[in-house]
Amino acid sequence: MAEQIFTETARFKTAVKLINELESNRFPKLLSRIAEKLHLREEHAFSEEEQIKLQLALGIGSEDRSLLLETIEFILLQAAYYGLKPATLHQHLLSVNLSVEKSEIISQTWASYGKATVEKMKKHSFTHSQLESVGWHLNLQLAQDNKTQVKESNAIFHLNLKKSEIGKAEKLSLELTHKELLHFYNKLEILQDQLDSLS
Amino acid sequence: MTDPRERSFFIGKSTPAEVRLLSKHLKTTKKEVFDKLVTVACMMLTSGDANHEMFSEATKSIEAEQIKHLYPGILTIVRRGACVPMNLLKEKDFLYDLSEMKIPEKFHGSLVSAVFGESRSSLDEAAYLGRPRLPSIEEFRWRVDVGISTTSLKRALEPTILCNIKTDQNESHTFEMSKEKFHELRYAVAEVLNHIQQLEKRSVLKIET
């Protein structure tokens, strides 16, 4: 293989040994759980409580337990980073002395979850402000304090922006008349053309 | 002429206090002074940023006492007269109402030309522009970026759109949109436009009352 994806540090070797020694019946489920939550940067696959239960169930100590979870996560994250196909991942795992059985289970899990995980990771952004949703309502203005019998349509848009600081969100409120809407729409159409020309 | 019992006065349910004050002092008012104040009223209503200096400058030739007695009533008459669309308030009815409010005929001329004359369109325009509203989009700038790689992915190749909206209240908002969110926005705008076009076709809006 051209690139060494996994370096056999002492810690990694210990982890490999741990993985190989684990009972295989619980392994697929363990992997699926980790793979499901892989794209979430802040959340861990298992809560504190669950981790302790896991420890007892697998009959390993707490240090071993963290090493195990960390390493599995690392393997899958690397697979995502390099965009590995399941078969390639399998080969890489064998090259660092993971048992055939365990390598197969890991690659199979990657085959099921890999594509979706990578897609989700692609959408990650840590920009200051992101558009989360758009709300609107359409009004017909009938009158104002210095004018009666008005028949003007206007639309109010709420652009809900998610901020990079957790918990802060901004709602951008805009009012657009028919003419302004058309103007805006034409600009969005130009944008769309640009996007189309990319693919 | 519409039977007065069938319609209400253009000025409202009853004669406002300032108009009663006006009519009391008209016996001793010169036509030129009255006409000048009507012009000032139109100017103040048409100007987007009318202020005290403008008013003082325009009325410097008139005594303060006279301004106090005459101007508020004149302003109210012009405002309320221009409030209703021109095709709904007939000149004859307007003149009838003015007489009912005890405004002598010699002062009718300048009021009629303010409400029904050439300057009416600028009054309407100013009313439209000054209406209460939420900020509108003054400027919309965008750029399309393609992220090549990130900390989690060696090859991401994901397009994103960076936007900046400047409102007419001078606020600047910069934010990013994924392709999917952009489509949501575009769809929302198109949908609203469609609804507006449907709405404007309906007969309710076409009927000129």
Side-chain angles (χ1 to χ4, degrees):
Chain A
M1 280 138 304
E3 241 173 319
Q4 258 291 69
I5 304 232
F6 302 108
T7 336
E8 289 189 271
T9 58
R11 203 171 145 80
F12 192 78
K13 283 192 187 151
T14 322
V16 168
K17 193 157 166 288
L18 256 179
I19 294 175
N20 286 341
E21 282 168 8
L22 269 183
E23 283 173 24
S24 292
N25 55 351
R26 284 210 176 82
F27 200 52
K29 259 181 124 176
L30 173 68
L31 274 177
S32 304
R33 186 70 181 273
I34 297 178
E36 265 165 28
K37 300 269 169 118
L38 198 68
H39 66 280
L40 298 167
R41 306 197 67 206
E42 276 104 50
E43 260 180 73
H44 289 294
F46 296 95
S47 66
E48 286 294 321
E49 275 178 38
E50 288 171 324
Q51 286 192 35
I52 295 175
K53 281 195 201 149
L54 192 65
Q55 210 174 296
L56 295 169
L58 297 174
I60 51 177
S62 80
E63 255 189 61
D64 282 351
R65 178 251 304 164
S66 352
L67 177 61
L68 177 70
L69 293 179
E70 246 179 65
T71 312
I72 296 175
E73 221 179 79
F74 176 70
I75 292 173
L76 294 176
L77 283 173
Q78 287 290 80
Y81 184 77
Y82 288 97
L84 296 177
K85 292 206 197 42
T88 325
L89 176 62
H90 186 56
Q91 289 304 312
H92 277 285
L93 291 174
L94 290 177
S95 78
V96 288
N97 300 312
L98 253 130
S99 69
V100 177
E101 200 190 357
K102 295 293 183 337
S103 296
E104 251 175 39
I105 299 176
I106 297 179
S107 336
Q108 267 164 27
T109 313
W110 186 242
S112 331
Y113 288 92
K115 202 151 179 235
T117 306
V118 169
E119 282 306 309
K120 283 184 206 153
M121 283 176 155
K122 277 188 182 178
K123 308 288 178 199
H124 275 165
S125 174
F126 48 84
T127 30
H128 180 60
S129 193
Q130 273 183 291
L131 180 66
E132 200 169 23
S133 59
V134 179
W136 58 266
H137 76 246
L138 177 60
N139 295 318
L140 184 64
Q141 187 195 347
L142 298 177
Q144 58 193 74
D145 60 333
N146 50 5
K147 219 165 170 236
T148 59
Q149 307 288 328
V150 176
K151 286 177 222 117
E152 290 279 328
S153 48
N154 61 62
I156 297 188
F157 278 86
H158 281 163
L159 298 181
N160 297 309
L161 303 176
K162 188 170 73 172
K163 299 284 193 180
S164 54
E165 295 157 45
I166 303 172
K168 285 206 171 191
E170 191 187 330
K171 188 154 67 177
L172 177 55
S173 300
L174 298 164
E175 188 183 311
L176 292 123
T177 61
H178 189 176
K179 208 166 95 178
E180 289 164 352
L181 259 174
L182 265 173
H183 198 59
F184 187 46
Y185 184 69
N186 289 331
K187 293 209 168 152
L188 292 180
E189 283 292 280
I190 298 174
L191 225 183
Q192 180 63 50
D193 285 339
Q194 273 305 306
L195 277 179
D196 290 338
S197 74
L198 272 182
S199 42
Chain B
M1 189 179 79
T2 333
D3 188 339
R5 284 162 302 177
E6 274 176 17
R7 66 167 186 91
S8 47
F9 292 133
F10 78 87
I11 204 99
K13 240 181 21 190
S14 54
T15 310
E18 62 268 23
V19 178
R20 278 185 270 134
L21 180 68
L22 170 71
S23 57
K24 263 197 274 210
H25 288 91
L26 281 177
K27 290 191 196 71
T28 52
T29 307
K30 286 206 190 77
K31 187 172 185 303
E32 299 84 53
V33 174
F34 188 87
D35 291 352
K36 178 93 176 81
L37 284 174
V38 173
T39 318
V40 173
C42 288
M43 181 194 77
M44 295 300 278
L45 287 172
T46 353
S47 151
D49 45 348
N51 57 24
H52 191 65
E53 276 119 39
M54 208 189 258
F55 184 73
S56 306
E57 182 59 32
T59 55
K60 62 181 180 211
S61 58
I62 309 172
E63 273 173 37
E65 274 298 300
Q66 263 204 314
I67 299 174
K68 220 169 57 173
H69 292 149
L70 304 175
Y71 186 73
I74 291 174
L75 185 65
T76 301
I77 292 174
V78 176
R79 269 195 104 221
R80 304 252 85 226
C83 194
V84 186
M86 276 216 275
N87 55 346
L88 284 183
L89 176 64
K90 304 203 178 27
E91 209 178 301
K92 285 192 213 149
D93 296 333
F94 180 71
L95 291 170
Y96 181 86
D97 290 355
L98 285 181
S99 304
E100 287 291 301
M101 292 189 282
K102 304 201 178 16
I103 313 278
E105 263 187 49
K106 73 172 184 178
F107 300 112
H108 289 187
S110 52
L111 287 173
V112 166
S113 77
V115 173
F116 295 93
E118 275 173 17
S119 50
R120 173 59 186 270
S121 55
S122 10
L123 282 172
D124 286 342
E125 175 82 9
Y128 176 71
L129 291 173
R131 71 195 190 282
R133 59 169 300 177
L134 286 174
S136 67
I137 299 179
E138 176 95 355
E139 203 186 350
F140 175 68
R141 292 186 312 173
W142 55 268
R143 115 183 165 196
V144 176
D145 291 314
V146 178
I148 300 178
S149 62
T150 69
T151 23
S152 352
L153 299 168
K154 194 169 179 205
R155 264 177 97 64
L157 291 179
E158 182 69 13
T160 53
I161 299 156
L162 189 68
C163 293
N164 175 268
I165 291 183
K166 209 164 97 185
T167 66
D168 61 349
Q169 305 293 317
N170 260 328
E171 291 162 358
S172 181
H173 300 269
T174 310
F175 57 91
E176 191 186 82
M177 289 194 272
S178 64
K179 256 199 330 187
E180 290 75 27
K181 293 298 169 195
F182 168 68
H183 289 140
E184 252 183 63
L185 177 63
R186 189 164 153 257
Y187 181 76
V189 175
E191 205 183 345
V192 178
L193 266 173
N194 190 29
H195 281 295
I196 288 186
Q197 278 158 358
Q198 296 293 327
L199 187 65
E200 289 181 352
K201 273 196 212 142
R202 283 176 194 241
S203 49
V204 169
L205 291 172
K206 286 221 185 101
I207 294 174
E208 284 299 320
T209 34

